[in-house]
Amino acid sequence: MTTLIKGARLYGEDPVDVVLKDGVITSVGEHLSVPTAEVIDADGLIALPGLVDLHTHLREPGREDTETVETGSRAAALGGFTAVHAMANTDPVADTAGVVEQVWRLGQEAGLVDVIPVGAVTVGLAGERLAELGAMADSAARVRVFSDDGRCVADPALMRRALEYVKALDGVVAQHAEEPRLTVGAQMNEGDRSARLGLGGWPAAAEESIIARDVLLAGHVGARLHVCHVSTAGSVEILRWARSRGVQVTAEVTPHHLLLTDECVEGYDPVFKVNPPLRTDEDVHALRAALAEGVIDAVATDHAPHAVEDKECEWAMARPGMLGLEQALSVVVQTMVEPGLLDWRGVADRMSVRPAAIGRLPGHGRPLSPGEPANLVLLDPAARSVVDPAALASRSRNSPYAGRELPGRVVHTFLRGAQTVTDGKAVK
Ligand code: DOR
Ligand code: ZN
């Protein structure tokens, strides 16, 4: 099958034509014509490499009522993604070769994005014994990212051991940085507002103390560390210091931490309850600047679907987490591109190139050049729309962007040359 894309602005540059054949980009240039090709008019559309998410909760196995590999894959494709890492906090936990292979196979069957399972660091996420990291790495799922996300690997000796193992596997530990002893009863960012609202505080130091500890451990072991959902200005300072010392540490920020603050908590609507919590204006500013600078490497969604009964309830009872896949690119356009903090090449770097490199994913995050796999997204930067949770492909409805107008619309997504999204609609 051959596709001819007419007049796409690659990385926001001048319009060119692109030919996709047999899953590969075969030519890029002006006035191309291929008689038998399907033609896509990309007038006004920007082309980026297919987006890669390092942090997606797909809820299968175990909570298929809130998301499945298939529904989450559809949400991802609609968001412009061609690969997502599926977090391990499923039921059963993805802590064996059997479970990661099952998730990987379900992703293949859905066929909308490459679903890359994350393996748990510890058995059952219990933080006591290391899981079978080597068997997961050697399995068909080719696991390279290991995380107990949802929980912190709190024991420093176990964390050190995990770093030693992943080093031998060319893998990385993705840490959910939260010192559990400091967040007992935590409900929101700790500060004046938590005191006034009467909700338990989640102090910045609970995140920062773990990051500080872990960059020291990663430096000592000589292993790769990735920090999930960085949320505070202080964390950015620690990361900058660690990188200046040559520690192999990478980090991600979520779309919601780039856009929203703890002011959202004022109405006690649990759709804004998330872990780590929404922080302050100063934190948001520091996170945007760090992403622009590259001290934070990647945007990762932390897409966290939850059932209505777990979100439309009293704040303290609600589960933390929010949807992110379908609006991630729009939020980055609003918070980073429109204010001039990141150009389109920068978006490609932070949402595709670097996440693919961190996850050691061959075939993703590649340049839009002849000979490369045809994984790409075409978006309309000028389109604006109001988010309607009822219209989302996700099986859950807990979008923090409900009713918000956001810029940018994903029009087409291609996975190895096949359209997974056409005219803003998933093909299956
Ligand atoms: O808000 C969150 N939700 N943070 C996490 O770390 C886990 C996630 C979930 O699984 O719902
Ligand atoms: Zn987490």
Side-chain angles (χ1 to χ4, degrees), residues 159-391:
M159 184 63 181
R160 175 200 174 149
R161 227 32 102 208
L163 287 164
E164 286 167 351
Y165 269 93
V166 301
K167 181 181 179 187
L169 302 169
D170 192 30
V172 63
V173 178
Q175 175 72 293
H176 169 118
E178 172 183 359
E179 167 48 59
R181 297 280 296 138
L182 292 172
T183 58
V184 175
Q187 295 290 333
M188 67 172 292
N189 180 47
E190 181 172 303
D192 292 347
R193 186 168 263 127
S194 61
R196 187 163 47 73
L197 294 176
L199 293 172
W202 201 127
E207 175 172 305
E208 294 156 6
S209 57
I210 292 292
I211 298 176
R213 181 199 79 176
D214 286 355
V215 296
L216 294 174
L217 289 174
H220 179 64
V221 170
R224 288 201 294 141
L225 168 71
H226 177 73
V227 185
C228 295
H229 41 54
V230 168
S231 72
T232 79
S235 296
V236 171
E237 291 309 307
I238 297 163
L239 290 167
R240 187 179 286 111
W241 174 84
R243 284 165 90 113
S244 76
R245 304 259 303 209
V247 175
Q248 298 180 72
V249 59
T250 56
E252 67 186 37
V253 61
T254 69
H256 47 273
H257 288 108
L258 288 172
L259 180 64
L260 307 173
T261 69
D262 64 353
E263 201 186 331
C264 294
V265 182
E266 292 280 346
Y268 294 98
D269 181 347
V271 80
F272 298 111
K273 182 170 174 177
V274 66
N275 190 16
L278 300 175
R279 304 283 188 186
T280 67
D281 265 328
E282 294 79 73
D283 294 310
V284 168
H285 264 97
L287 294 171
R288 289 183 187 183
L291 184 64
E293 185 189 344
V295 168
I296 292 178
D297 300 81
V299 175
T301 67
D302 199 4
H303 178 83
H306 284 295
V308 171
E309 59 271 24
D310 289 322
K311 286 308 258 184
E312 292 180 10
C313 58
E314 193 192 323
W315 180 282
M317 303 299 293
R319 300 233 180 138
M322 33 182 75
L323 301 184
L325 285 170
E326 292 175 71
Q327 272 69 49
L329 183 54
S330 289
V331 172
V332 170
V333 173
Q334 168 142 336
T335 58
M336 301 297 295
V337 180
E338 291 188 344
L341 289 166
L342 219 51
D343 59 13
W344 292 106
R345 255 188 211 278
V347 174
D349 185 66
R350 308 300 196 271
M351 296 189 80
S352 178
V353 178
R354 289 212 217 181
I358 292 165
R360 296 287 194 257
L361 286 194
H364 292 275
R366 303 292 307 162
L368 296 174
S369 313
E372 298 288 354
N375 297 320
L376 60 148
V377 53
L378 296 174
L379 68 127
D380 179 354
R384 300 187 68 89
S385 57
V386 176
V387 178
D388 172 11

Side-chain angles (χ1 to χ4, degrees), residues 70-138:
E70 187 188 340
T71 60
S73 293
R74 193 170 295 121
L78 286 164
F81 291 89
T82 51
V84 300
H85 288 78
M87 272 299 170
N89 65 340
T90 47
D91 183 12
V93 168
D95 58 3
T96 62
V99 178
V100 295
E101 282 189 354
Q102 181 194 359
V103 171
W104 179 78
R105 195 174 39 74
L106 289 166
Q108 294 277 302
E109 282 167 20
L112 288 158
V113 292
D114 285 342
V115 174
I116 321 296
V118 172
V121 175
T122 69
V123 175
L125 310 179
E128 282 163 13
R129 279 187 301 127
L130 286 185
E132 49 181 57
L133 310 186
M136 290 190 276
D138 291 342

